[in-house]
Amino acid sequence: MALLHADSVTLNQTFHYENTTHSYDIKWCSLGDSSNPPVVFIHGTPWSSQVWSPFALALSRHFHVYLFDNPGFGESPMEREIHINSFHPSDKVSELDSDLARQSEVFAALFKTWEQDWDGRKPHVIAHDHAGLMSLRAYLLHGCIYASLCLIDVVAIGPFGQDLFKTVAENPEHFQRLPDMAFEGILESYIRNAAFKDIPGDVMQMLKAPWLKEGGKAGFTRQLCQANSRSTEEVEGRYEEVGRQIPVKIIWGAQDNWIPVEDATRLGKALHAEEVVQIEGAGHLVMYDQPAQLGVELGSWLNTFTR
């Protein structure tokens, strides 16, 4: 696993989607033989699909693997407001809010275009961080049906919030006016706090890069604003339905500083999960802290459905 951080995947497809308020262009790709069982990876915040690249490349030997960047993350640009039917936010936080409800809607639309190539097969979905809530919303509210669901250190069950989220949400315009050097320092500190082990320099640069380009500071600010308020109300009371209909596995870094490991147990009970696994020596970025163990857990989980 020594080359884990060096692997990368090119998102060579674009999906366009519009609703009554916004327009989206999502970058995505698929790997492997299309006749193999489909697997969909969903990234969280403030990451991109690149956190899944090594696992996607490895699994593409036996699965048809899908990767994509959420709106405003990685290679996918931020959504554009449609002025014909203009959306008027009530305050600056709402204007910046990346809104997980909207992100879930876009994922569901993308998912349904992929369904056309699956010949009735259902995909295995692997989700990290706020992708947990996205995948659950897509399943419960948008009719996206999975073969199984694996949730890794996910946002899905309240309460939420960190001091940084609250501070930025109170004064987002001040955060955006930070000098570039100060912003990069906060960004790097924020990312380091997500890992239990030291992050190699090239991995840190890859994780920072989308937020250091033009418009990145505003994009990073909006995802912090969203992190202070999650879109769980419509679905959290329905989690039991998911576990009764499909197999669910939960994986958690035992030293997660962002979402306490106790949430894994709470979520496991709410979802009636078949497995709840804690990985020692791993924080929120378990894919970098313990890549070998995570790879084994993912492989053993998916293997149960291909025997």
Side-chain angles (χ1 to χ4, degrees):
M1 304 297 290
L3 295 178
L4 181 66
H5 59 274
D7 296 325
S8 63
V9 170
T10 300
L11 304 181
N12 56 7
Q13 306 273 355
T14 302
F15 170 68
H16 181 76
Y17 175 74
E18 292 184 7
N19 58 21
T20 57
T21 60
H22 292 83
S23 173
Y24 306 82
D25 287 296
I26 304 301
K27 300 295 292 184
W28 69 277
C29 73
S30 66
L31 308 169
D33 191 329
S34 61
S35 66
N36 287 333
V39 171
V40 176
F41 281 95
I42 318 177
H43 73 83
T45 182
W47 325 114
S48 75
S49 60
Q50 292 302 328
V51 300
W52 290 129
S53 291
F55 302 94
L57 287 165
L59 288 171
S60 67
R61 291 180 57 207
H62 304 288
F63 295 90
H64 190 201
V65 183
Y66 291 78
L67 294 173
F68 70 100
D69 283 345
N70 287 317
F73 292 80
E75 296 181 36
S76 294
M78 285 195 286
E79 63 269 27
R80 298 177 299 280
E81 182 182 342
I82 296 175
H83 295 284
I84 296 173
N85 195 355
S86 189
F87 169 73
H88 295 288
S90 58
D91 52 44
K92 190 66 175 175
V93 173
S94 298
E95 180 182 329
L96 289 166
D97 192 350
S98 52
D99 197 336
L100 285 184
R102 292 207 305 266
Q103 290 192 50
S104 303
E105 177 187 343
V106 177
F107 163 62
L110 177 59
F111 181 98
K112 289 177 180 179
T113 67
W114 294 338
E115 279 184 323
Q116 301 167 21
D117 299 323
W118 293 340
D119 297 324
R121 294 170 299 167
K122 299 178 180 64
H124 304 282
V125 174
I126 300 169
H128 176 244
D129 190 80
H130 79 209
L133 184 53
M134 284 178 58
S135 62
L136 289 163
R137 287 185 64 91
Y139 184 90
L140 290 167
L141 302 180
H142 298 288
C144 297
I145 306 302
Y146 315 142
S148 74
L149 179 61
C150 183
L151 302 173
I152 304 170
D153 293 82
V154 294
V155 169
I157 193 166
F160 309 108
Q162 296 183 20
D163 289 341
L164 179 61
F165 301 161
K166 297 172 184 176
T167 300
V168 173
E170 288 170 0
N171 297 286
E173 65 282 356
H174 295 166
F175 190 79
Q176 288 192 89
R177 287 201 294 267
L178 282 173
D180 290 346
M181 183 184 302
F183 169 71
E184 184 171 355
I186 292 173
L187 173 62
E188 183 161 328
S189 177
Y190 180 69
I191 292 172
R192 289 195 184 282
N193 187 249
F196 179 70
K197 298 182 177 181
D198 288 339
I199 299 175
D202 55 343
V203 173
M204 175 60 75
Q205 193 58 39
M206 180 272 290
L207 295 173
K208 290 192 304 183
W211 309 114
L212 298 179
K213 63 187 180 183
E214 185 178 356
K217 194 183 297 183
F220 186 75
T221 302
R222 77 177 195 142
Q223 65 85 27
L224 287 177
C225 291
Q226 171 62 21
N228 195 45
S229 177
R230 304 297 193 178
S231 305
T232 64
E233 296 82 2
E234 296 170 279
V235 293
E236 193 168 342
R238 298 179 57 191
Y239 286 169
E240 180 179 349
E241 298 174 34
V242 181
R244 294 197 184 282
Q245 294 167 2
I246 61 171
V248 177
K249 177 170 183 168
I250 294 173
I251 302 173
W252 220 272
Q255 287 77 39
D256 190 332
N257 287 327
W258 284 15
I259 311 176
V261 70
E262 292 78 15
D263 280 14
T265 302
R266 293 174 57 217
L267 184 60
K269 290 179 179 178
L271 284 165
H272 293 275
E274 293 191 4
E275 289 187 75
V276 178
V277 177
Q278 295 183 23
I279 297 182
E280 290 293 332
H284 193 68
L285 283 174
V286 62
M287 63 281 290
Y288 295 114
D289 286 328
Q290 296 291 352
Q293 188 168 347
L294 178 60
V296 168
E297 292 293 344
L298 293 177
S300 63
W301 174 246
L302 293 171
N303 188 53
T304 62
F305 305 105
T306 58
R307 291 171 185 165

